[in-house]
Amino acid sequence: MSPPSPSLGRPEAPRTITVLGSTGSIGTQTIELLAAEPGRFKVRALVAGRKAALLAQQAIALRAEVAVVADAASYAELRDALAGTGIEAAAGTEAVLQAASLEADWTMAAITGAAGLASTLAAIRRGASVGLANKEALVCAGDVMLRAVREAGATLLPVDSEHNAIFQSMADGNRGAVEKIVLTASGGPFRTSSLEQMARVTPEAALRHPVWSMGAKISIDSATMMNKGLEVIEAARLFDLDDSMIEVLVHPQSVIHGLVYYQDGSVLAQLGSPDMRIPIAHTLAWPRRMATASRRLDLAAVSRLEFSVPDLERFPALRLAREALKAGGGTPTILNAANEIAVEAFLQRRIGFLDIAGTVGRVLDQLGTPKADSLDDVIMLDDLTRRTALAAMPACAA
């Protein structure tokens, strides 16, 4: 990660902002923070998938220069909603990439899944700061993304609460003295459930996260603990750590988000209420701080903090992710794509909850460890994996 650009050090100049994925869970919370301090930020572009009405409301409220909807079929609705406002409306894949390529001091990369890869790369190649909320992009194309960061002199600011906690705990710059890091996990809604109970889980039950309010995909990933597996891969790449230096602990209170162990015996941790506005605000204002309306942490009220080692028999997705990280090459790309297909199938009730990890495991076995040295390699492997996973679905139908 590079130091902040000189423009970020001038408090009198509004920071220019682009938000990729503005109508999703992370995006809407980012919009809330931007709206709270209108004089501090100037919004260049907002990008959404297909929620044209909400996108238009956001663009008007923040006086954005451009609003882009990826779904071309939603263009007319967006255009009509913005008529007479002076805000440019656009739609389609090329328009998304053009918005991501606009000059901006800071870009939120929050388009979920592999779909956000190209736009995240476009923002990185501008050489500015990128708030990375799309962990899948770094998982499936980590080598490509990190090479682009180095070449452009860009700054990646992790938005995931766990990685943001590690980033803050390494703020003194002594990364070479780190012995290990710990990513915490809530354990999801089935932390104490048996395999027999988990086999009967419905999408509705899996979407009811006990602590965090998140979108559907990440909620299911949290329930299977695949989310934590993806975070292990992301942490290895963000902080240049070996798998053996990354530990996961289940911490149901979700108060401590990450810990860093140093060679001198010190342990630094970042604590806070389970509210994504906190890490978003940290990256949005970095290297300064900004106010949020988040509930302040009351340790006396929390009273008790619990920790335990994840059960890899009940949550094999975490084991699969670690194996993919060790295998390297295109294996994490396969892991991510197969998981996206399996999660969607579960949400559509075509497979059972335990079949999500089962499907991913079978696809990993089938496709092996191919190379993924370029963006084209990643895109081709992602496509192959999705077709392979879809073909495997009948074998694991619920």
Side-chain angles (χ1 to χ4, degrees):
M1 298 179 185
S2 62
S5 66
S7 64
L8 301 188
R10 295 197 300 268
E12 70 278 3
R15 178 173 292 190
T16 52
I17 303 293
T18 290
V19 181
L20 307 175
S22 69
T23 60
S25 175
I26 296 296
T28 53
Q29 292 175 87
T30 304
I31 297 300
E32 176 187 337
L33 292 166
L34 293 171
E37 297 197 38
R40 189 170 180 176
F41 305 104
K42 178 177 174 55
V43 177
R44 297 223 60 194
L46 299 179
V47 176
R50 59 178 60 89
K51 296 179 181 177
L54 177 56
L55 174 62
Q57 291 174 15
Q58 293 175 336
I60 293 169
L62 295 177
R63 299 179 181 179
E65 296 177 23
V66 181
V68 179
V69 63
D71 178 19
S74 300
Y75 172 68
E77 182 183 0
L78 178 65
R79 178 200 61 206
D80 294 346
L82 293 177
T85 65
I87 300 170
E88 180 184 347
T93 301
E94 190 59 35
V96 170
L97 293 178
Q98 289 175 358
S101 300
L102 287 173
E103 287 298 323
D105 294 323
W106 184 92
T107 296
M108 168 60 81
I111 297 177
T112 305
L117 174 57
S119 57
T120 301
L121 274 171
I124 287 171
R125 286 169 176 153
R126 285 192 291 100
S129 295
V130 176
L132 186 65
N134 175 11
K135 68 174 65 66
E136 293 90 348
L138 194 57
V139 168
C140 69
D143 293 340
V144 176
M145 281 189 62
L146 293 176
R147 186 164 60 246
V149 167
R150 291 190 298 270
E151 291 173 352
T155 301
L156 283 185
L157 300 170
V159 173
D160 270 346
S161 59
E162 296 81 3
H163 301 88
N164 185 263
I166 300 301
F167 182 74
Q168 293 195 52
S169 299
M170 288 184 177
D172 62 359
N174 288 308
R175 190 166 303 180
V178 171
E179 285 189 343
K180 70 174 182 178
I181 68 171
V182 176
L183 305 177
T184 58
S186 69
F190 312 124
R191 177 173 59 88
T192 60
S193 300
S194 67
L195 281 170
E196 291 75 17
Q197 291 171 322
M198 292 163 74
R200 300 190 296 272
V201 162
T202 65
E204 290 78 12
L207 288 169
R208 287 194 291 269
H209 196 281
V211 179
W212 296 94
S213 176
M214 305 178 292
K217 164 65 165 54
I218 192 171
S219 294
I220 302 303
D221 282 349
S222 179
T224 63
M225 288 198 74
M226 178 61 84
N227 189 49
K228 204 54 50 178
L230 296 176
E231 288 176 5
V232 168
I233 298 173
E234 183 182 10
R237 289 174 165 166
L238 275 174
F239 305 113
D240 193 21
L241 299 173
D242 186 78
D243 169 70
S244 63
M245 297 174 68
I246 306 170
E247 185 177 337
V248 173
L249 287 178
V250 175
H251 170 46
Q253 291 80 19
S254 294
V255 167
I256 297 177
H257 304 294
L259 307 95
V260 178
Y261 284 68
Y262 286 94
Q263 293 172 347
D264 61 4
S266 299
V267 181
L268 299 187
Q270 188 268 341
L271 290 75
S273 297
D275 187 334
M276 283 304 300
R277 288 176 297 180
I278 296 173
I280 294 170
H282 177 259
T283 64
L284 183 57
W286 184 84
R288 296 181 175 83
R289 298 273 179 171
M290 64 182 291
T292 75
S294 302
R295 177 175 55 85
R296 289 344 190 214
L297 180 62
D298 184 343
L299 286 174
V302 174
S303 178
R304 180 178 179 179
L305 301 179
E306 303 169 275
F307 303 90
S308 61
V309 176
D311 183 344
L312 298 185
E313 181 180 357
R314 290 186 300 123
F315 297 99
L318 181 54
R319 172 182 54 79
L320 292 172
R322 284 193 177 276
E323 290 174 355
L325 173 59
K326 292 176 183 177
T331 312
T333 308
I334 297 169
L335 174 90
N336 180 72
N339 180 64
E340 287 189 12
I341 291 297
V343 167
E344 184 62 26
F346 169 68
L347 288 170
Q348 294 174 357
R349 304 178 194 277
R350 292 190 287 119
I351 63 173
F353 181 75
L354 296 180
D355 294 325
I356 297 174
T359 299
V360 175
R362 278 188 288 275
V363 175
L364 284 167
D365 289 341
Q366 185 171 340
L367 296 183
T369 311
K371 292 183 178 180
D373 296 330
S374 68
L375 182 56
D376 286 343
D377 290 342
V378 171
I379 292 172
M380 290 176 61
L381 183 56
D382 181 87
D383 180 66
L384 172 62
T385 301
R386 291 170 190 275
R387 288 186 279 110
T388 303
L390 285 170
M393 287 303 168
C396 56

